[in-house]
């Protein structure tokens, strides 16, 4: 059974002797340098205590990952990206008030249980700022003989230099590529360098693991390795999506697997941002899908445009993902 969110009293940091990376944190492109072992929070909003919101099988990822038994997801609290429109805002920006703390031993035990439940992979969501915990747990699982793929589910806003180390353990990379427009990146998440950082990181992911294989649209053959890139189409920002597609095509060719998503929902922080305060229109999404076809991308997931809230998780519920099967 999945671990659902539960209140967790603030406890002293228990990780500093084991994970020195948290003492002067440089785990994400923000490079905030905070001593998270002293109980201070980094730009990600987290201390050195590993805080998790949900651990369990998730059937709402792309079919290549969810298959028939689900993707074994671990949703970590906190995030250094701070996107205005984050759909996981309950856990990405809530600081230490959401989720529950797990020790390294508890995280390993949860991953063992999840792997034994029959899921197709272990899927680490928003993982960068807790990479030392994840690295230790994955090394131990491999030493114990675990064979299912490990999946790094990330924002695209990764330190390129960290990717080779991550690739030693992760068979699958599932990065976003949110912005080709640096001005839009600056507006939405405060760093105009996002496009160049994300591209440099993606180059290393593809170099290390290649393209996603197998790519089975039905999910009957779950993916075993490689890279698939997600892109969320934003309302009023079709040009950003077209630029993103052209950039990815130019860099990696039409064989790069994509997931072009329509599930944008305006969040409260978007209220003052003009077009981002409304939903995506059918015309906008169709314009992006047409460009995908024109460029000849060979392996693409798309979505039906649904104005409901089925893709909006509620991490305070026992099951955060109602109605989000693709």
């Amino acid at each position: 059974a999945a671990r659902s969110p539960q209140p967790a009293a603030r406890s002293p940091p228990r990780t500093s002797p084991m994970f020195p990376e948290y003492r002067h944190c440089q785990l994400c492109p923000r490079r905030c340098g905070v001593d998270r072992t002293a109980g201070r929070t980094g730009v990600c909003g987290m201390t050195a205590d590993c805080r998790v919101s949900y651990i369990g099988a998730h059937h709402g990822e792309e079919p290549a990952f969810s298959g028939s038994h689900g993707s074994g997801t671990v949703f970590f609290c906190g995030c250094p990206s701070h996107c205005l429109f984050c759909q996981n805002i309950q856990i990405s920006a809530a600081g230490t008030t959401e989720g529950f703390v797990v020790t390294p031993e508890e995280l390993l035990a949860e991953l063992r249980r999840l792997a034994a439940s029959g899921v197709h992979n272990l899927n680490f969501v928003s993982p960068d700022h807790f990479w030392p915990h994840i690295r230790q747990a994955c090394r131990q699982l491999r030493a114990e003989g675990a064979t299912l793929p490990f999946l790094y589910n990330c924002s695209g806003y990764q330190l390129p230099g960290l990717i080779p180390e991550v690739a030693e353990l992760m068979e699958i990379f599932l990065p976003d590529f949110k912005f080709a427009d640096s001005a839009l990146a600056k507006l939405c998440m405060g760093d105009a360098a996002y496009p160049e950082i994300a591209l440099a990181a993606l180059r290393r992911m593809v170099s290390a693991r290649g393209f996603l294989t197998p790519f089975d649209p039905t999910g009957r053959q779950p993916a075993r390795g490689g890279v698939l890139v997600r892109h969320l189409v934003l309302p009023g920002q079709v040009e950003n999506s077209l630029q993103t597609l052209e950039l990815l095509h130019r860099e990696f060719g039409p064989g790069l697997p994509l997931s072009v998503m329509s599930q944008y929902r305006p969040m409260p922080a978007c209220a003052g941002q003009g077009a981002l305060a409304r939903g995506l229109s059918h015309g906008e999404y169709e314009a992006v899908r047409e460009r995908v076809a024109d460029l000849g991308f060979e392996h693409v997931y798309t979505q039906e445009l649904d104005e409901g809230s089925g893709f909006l998780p509620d991490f305070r519920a026992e099951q955060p993902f109602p109605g989000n099967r693709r």
Side-chain angles (χ1 to χ4, degrees):
R3 288 277 303 263
S4 58
Q6 53 187 285
R10 183 72 181 91
S11 55
R14 291 169 284 178
T15 54
S16 53
M18 197 173 301
F19 303 124
E21 293 97 329
Y22 295 134
R23 292 191 181 122
H24 182 72
C25 193
Q26 305 280 311
L27 290 170
C28 83
R30 306 285 189 186
R31 294 183 178 273
C32 66
V34 166
D35 183 359
R36 292 166 58 191
T37 69
R40 296 175 59 201
T41 55
V43 172
C44 61
M46 293 290 106
T47 69
D49 290 339
C50 184
R51 187 170 286 272
V52 173
S53 179
Y54 176 82
I55 304 175
H58 181 21
H59 297 272
E61 303 283 41
E62 289 81 358
F65 311 121
S66 291
S68 56
H69 300 298
S71 178
T73 49
V74 183
F75 281 81
F76 294 94
C77 295
C79 181
S81 294
H82 301 297
C83 294
L84 287 172
F85 50 83
C86 180
Q87 312 255 303
N88 293 346
I89 192 71
Q90 285 178 335
I91 62 172
S92 66
T96 56
T97 63
E98 291 291 332
F100 51 95
V101 173
V102 290
T103 65
E105 296 76 18
E106 289 167 342
L107 178 62
L108 178 59
E110 290 285 350
L111 293 174
R112 285 192 189 112
R113 176 194 59 77
L114 194 54
S117 73
V119 294
H120 299 294
N121 48 67
L122 293 183
N123 181 345
F124 301 95
V125 185
S126 300
D128 302 79
H129 51 292
F130 288 122
W131 170 242
H133 280 81
I134 296 166
R135 179 185 60 205
Q136 175 175 286
C138 288
R139 284 175 175 168
Q140 181 60 33
L141 289 171
R142 288 290 184 241
E144 293 171 2
T147 59
L148 78 173
F150 297 159
L151 190 163
Y152 205 73
N153 188 338
C154 55
S155 68
Y157 191 57
Q158 273 68 53
L159 280 177
L162 190 61
I163 298 304
E165 179 181 311
V166 175
E168 291 177 6
L169 288 165
M170 298 289 152
E171 285 78 18
I172 301 172
F173 283 97
L174 181 57
D176 293 335
F177 205 105
K178 299 175 186 287
F179 314 107
D181 181 339
S182 59
L184 184 61
K186 178 68 173 176
L187 172 70
C188 290
M189 48 88 69
D191 193 346
Y194 176 96
E196 61 192 75
I197 292 170
L199 183 59
L202 181 56
R203 284 178 180 139
R204 293 200 174 197
M205 294 174 192
V206 171
S207 176
R209 288 298 183 184
F211 296 159
L212 193 72
T213 183
F215 184 91
D216 179 0
T218 70
R220 285 191 281 270
Q221 298 182 75
R224 297 296 304 175
V227 178
L228 180 141
V229 177
R230 284 173 167 168
H231 175 72
L232 177 66
V233 183
L234 302 176
Q237 301 296 335
V238 168
E239 189 59 33
N240 174 63
S241 292
L242 302 183
Q243 290 176 13
T244 297
L245 293 171
E246 289 157 9
L247 173 62
L248 295 176
H249 186 274
R250 185 166 60 248
E251 287 284 334
F252 303 104
L256 178 69
L258 299 178
S259 179
V260 180
M261 301 183 295
S262 64
Q263 65 193 57
Y264 178 84
R265 300 291 180 270
M267 295 289 107
C270 300
Q273 301 303 330
L276 291 174
R278 65 169 172 83
L280 184 68
S281 74
H282 285 274
E284 288 170 327
Y285 189 58
E286 285 308 308
V288 175
R289 291 214 296 192
E290 287 174 10
R291 190 62 180 138
V292 169
D294 291 344
L295 289 168
F297 281 104
E298 299 162 2
H299 303 297
V300 184
Y301 287 112
T302 59
Q303 295 174 323
E304 296 301 319
L305 186 58
D306 177 7
E307 296 179 359
S309 59
F311 286 94
L312 195 62
D314 181 2
F315 287 97
R316 295 176 182 135
E318 184 175 353
Q319 171 50 255
F321 309 105
N324 64 350
R325 291 177 181 269
R326 289 201 179 106

